[in-house]
Amino acid sequence: MKLSLKVNGKKIEKEVDDNTLLVSFIRENLNLTGTHVGCDTSQCGSCVVHVNGKSVKSCAMFAVDANGSEVTTIEGLEKDGKLHPVQESFKKHHGLQCGYCTPGMVMSSIDLLKSHKNPTEEEIRKGLEGNICRCTGYQNIVASVKGAIGKV
Amino acid sequence: MKQFNFHEAKNVKDAVKASSKKSAFLSGGQTLIPSMKLRLSSFDDVINVKNIKDLQGIKVSSKSVTIGAATTHAEVAASKDVKKAIPSLSHLAGMIGDAQVRNKGTLGGSIANNDPSACYPSACIALDATVHTSDRKIEASKFFKGMFETALKKDELVTAVEFKIPESSSYVKIPNPASRYAMVGVYVAKHKKDVICAVTGAQAVVYRCKEIEKELGNNFSSDSLNNLNLDYSEMNSDIHASAEYRASLVLSAAQKAVANCK
Ligand SMILES: Cc1cc2nc3c(=O)[nH]c(=O)nc-3n(C[C@H](O)[C@H](O)[C@H](O)COP(=O)(O)OP(=O)(O)OC[C@H]3O[C@@H](n4cnc5c(N)ncnc54)[C@H](O)[C@@H]3O)c2cc1C
Ligand code: FES
Ligand code: FES
């Protein structure tokens, strides 16, 4: 099917097989490899992107289903060479170690901070339930999200 | 994943017409896509029903709340109307999986899938719901047949679910910490005429716990369940919980649910 959508603000038209997952389209057709794949069971969240402003797991969505949508990936966050405030906060608070989970964590955190202007620690932890990190023990991830409150 | 043809259904008729023995309806895709990825299932045609207008939206009357099949868990959880009419239903939707699953997963997909540990089937039973489909209305008590099995025919589309508004109700879920599905979930609803206690996660399919209902019918209080010992001969036993432990979880979740009834 011919796919027509916007990715990180850029209009894209491409022919894809109907069974292409959105994450494969992003990584393999568009070479945007910041979006990761960490599992086979839709549980790890390392593939989270925004589709029409909402965070979704791009491994559990077909590319053709994103036809006509606006997709934002981790690569689309920086503006004029400056990191997004949430990226900045992850950097400042050491919210990452190996960094594998980080793109998904950042995308989920942005959605969380849009729907909760001033989340409690509990709300942050609940909001990131769909993202698994094998390195940090989450403490600094929570601190990073807290550090970005009011900046999204 | 095997090749298939993707169809965007414009309306209910269109979706039903496109369906065959080798097709699947796609709604949120949160169950269907993982199972296709793992090659547990494959189809020649995948029919997207999520954008059909008649499957959207939430309507509240004085007696019931009707939710379109393609309404996401996030939309149900965020709806002020649902929260006001049946707070426990809004709470249930807000506890399903995680934020990203809730942004895609839908009511219709959840009940059509009928996972033994899914949350919505318990709401359908406890709130004496009616399932509206492309060609009939089915009482919830006749809809959930067995593990991953429902009364739906192959080309039958769930269009909406109509939940009765109870006097008070509450849903308590003991989530599996890894998958967040219900290890046990208990939905207690006090209706004008009777009390329904629906249990998910504990057996092959959602069921009404008559032992608990009997006690609550006599005396609607958590204390009335203090001396109850539930029969666990039919309960699931797996690495997460033994049958005996599940029985004890059902009881304590039911007590908590009664205490929280709003
Ligand atoms: C990590 C994770 C955690 C989860 N945790 C929970 C949880 O805690 N509790 C819970 O209840 N669920 C949980 N789920 C399941 C989630 O709620 C799914 O959204 C739901 O089970 C399926 O809904 P869907 O809209 O995604 O359906 P799909 O995956 O699109 O479809 C599921 C099945 O239903 C059929 N179908 C879809 N729509 C219709 C329709 N309108 N009429 C007839 N048939 C239809 C499809 O053909 C398919 O067979 C979880 C899922 C994941 C990935
Ligand atoms: S890759 Fe793990 S949730 Fe998508
Ligand atoms: S930083 Fe390594 S998985 Fe999160």
Side-chain angles (χ1 to χ4, degrees):
Chain A
M1 184 173 139
K2 179 141 185 195
L3 193 58
S4 154
L5 76 176
K6 262 190 178 171
V7 178
N8 299 334
K10 236 174 58 198
K11 206 162 160 44
I12 288 174
E13 295 203 355
K14 256 192 181 13
E15 191 68 39
V16 293
D17 286 339
D18 289 3
N19 67 352
T20 309
L21 293 169
L22 181 60
V23 69
S24 316
F25 176 72
I26 290 170
R27 287 179 56 83
E28 289 156 31
N29 296 58
L30 305 181
N31 289 321
L32 294 171
T33 52
T35 303
H36 293 162
V37 175
C39 74
D40 239 349
T41 49
S42 324
Q43 279 174 314
C44 77
S46 66
C47 63
V48 172
V49 300
H50 295 176
V51 176
N52 295 329
K54 288 208 177 105
S55 59
V56 301
K57 294 176 180 173
S58 60
C59 73
M61 178 168 175
F62 294 121
V64 287
D65 194 15
N67 198 21
S69 311
E70 295 206 9
V71 176
T72 308
T73 70
I74 190 79
E75 290 90 347
L77 294 182
E78 60 152 350
K79 261 207 189 106
D80 309 323
K82 270 206 194 129
L83 292 179
H84 184 280
V86 173
Q87 289 175 305
E88 199 56 68
S89 191
F90 268 72
K91 186 176 162 203
K92 182 169 165 204
H93 295 277
H94 303 285
L96 60 147
Q97 287 179 23
C98 80
Y100 199 86
C101 69
T102 316
M105 283 289 179
V106 169
M107 298 313 280
S108 294
S109 301
I110 293 175
D111 196 8
L112 169 70
L113 288 169
K114 275 192 192 151
S115 57
H116 296 77
K117 292 289 167 213
N118 194 12
T120 61
E121 168 147 356
E122 205 186 322
E123 283 169 335
I124 294 173
R125 288 183 183 273
K126 185 166 188 291
L128 295 179
E129 261 174 355
N131 294 78
I132 293 175
C133 175
R134 303 304 300 266
C135 302
T136 61
Y138 301 98
Q139 213 60 21
N140 285 355
I141 292 176
V142 174
S144 306
V145 178
K146 274 190 188 158
I149 289 175
K151 294 180 187 161
V152 171
Chain B
M1 195 190 303
K2 271 189 56 179
Q3 289 283 357
F4 58 80
N5 291 310
F6 186 82
H7 302 265
E8 185 70 54
K10 285 180 204 72
N11 52 45
V12 172
K13 234 180 169 172
D14 202 26
V16 171
K17 215 173 115 201
S19 83
S20 72
K21 276 207 177 89
K22 293 194 143 184
S23 71
F25 296 128
L26 171 71
S27 192
Q30 301 303 289
T31 298
L32 188 71
I33 296 176
S35 103
M36 290 171 75
K37 272 166 53 178
L38 296 172
R39 299 193 181 223
L40 296 171
S41 61
S42 67
F43 307 96
D44 291 349
D45 300 281
V46 170
I47 306 155
N48 193 18
V49 301
K50 199 184 53 231
N51 301 319
I52 299 177
K53 266 220 178 74
D54 286 348
L55 266 56
Q56 322 288 335
I58 297 170
K59 277 185 234 117
V60 179
S61 74
S62 59
K63 292 206 178 81
S64 66
V65 173
T66 306
I67 303 180
T71 312
T72 62
H73 308 326
E75 286 163 345
V76 174
S79 158
K80 291 205 175 84
D81 291 338
V82 176
K83 199 169 201 168
K84 204 167 146 214
I86 315 180
S88 57
L89 189 61
S90 136
H91 172 73
L92 174 146
M95 300 261 292
I96 293 177
D98 51 60
Q100 289 70 38
V101 167
R102 293 193 292 274
N103 277 342
K104 289 290 285 177
T106 66
L107 168 60
S110 175
I111 67 162
N113 190 51
N114 192 18
D115 188 299
S117 47
C119 301
Y120 267 127
S122 70
C124 293
I125 296 292
L127 302 172
D128 195 11
T130 307
V131 179
H132 298 217
T133 78
S134 44
D135 63 20
R136 56 187 166 145
K137 291 182 181 179
I138 311 171
E139 287 166 39
S141 57
K142 300 196 174 114
F143 184 84
F144 303 102
K145 293 279 196 193
M147 194 183 278
F148 295 108
E149 200 189 321
T150 67
L152 289 173
K153 287 174 288 189
K154 184 72 206 170
D155 62 351
E156 195 172 7
L157 189 68
V158 176
T159 55
V161 181
E162 185 178 352
F163 299 94
K164 285 209 184 99
I165 300 176
E167 286 181 351
S168 67
S169 62
S170 167
Y171 177 66
V172 171
K173 159 165 134 177
I174 318 276
N176 174 315
S179 76
R180 287 173 297 281
Y181 270 97
M183 208 141 72
V184 153
V186 178
Y187 209 127
V188 173
K190 189 169 184 293
H191 296 272
K192 209 168 194 172
K193 280 199 300 241
D194 55 358
V195 174
I196 303 183
C197 172
V199 181
T200 188
Q203 297 190 5
V205 66
V206 63
Y207 67 98
R208 284 178 67 166
C209 183
K210 298 286 177 188
E211 296 149 281
I212 292 177
E213 286 181 3
K214 192 171 154 229
E215 300 300 330
L216 294 179
N218 292 332
N219 170 13
F220 193 76
S221 74
S222 13
D223 283 346
S224 72
L225 305 177
N226 280 346
N227 300 319
L228 205 57
N229 276 312
L230 295 178
D231 175 11
Y232 55 86
S233 56
E234 301 278 312
M235 291 214 187
N236 302 336
S237 201
D238 53 33
I239 53 166
H240 308 299
S242 65
E244 199 174 358
Y245 180 50
R246 270 205 169 77
S248 122
L249 288 179
V250 169
L251 197 59
S252 54
Q255 288 189 300
K256 215 167 151 190
V258 174
N260 291 346
C261 260
K262 270 195 267 209

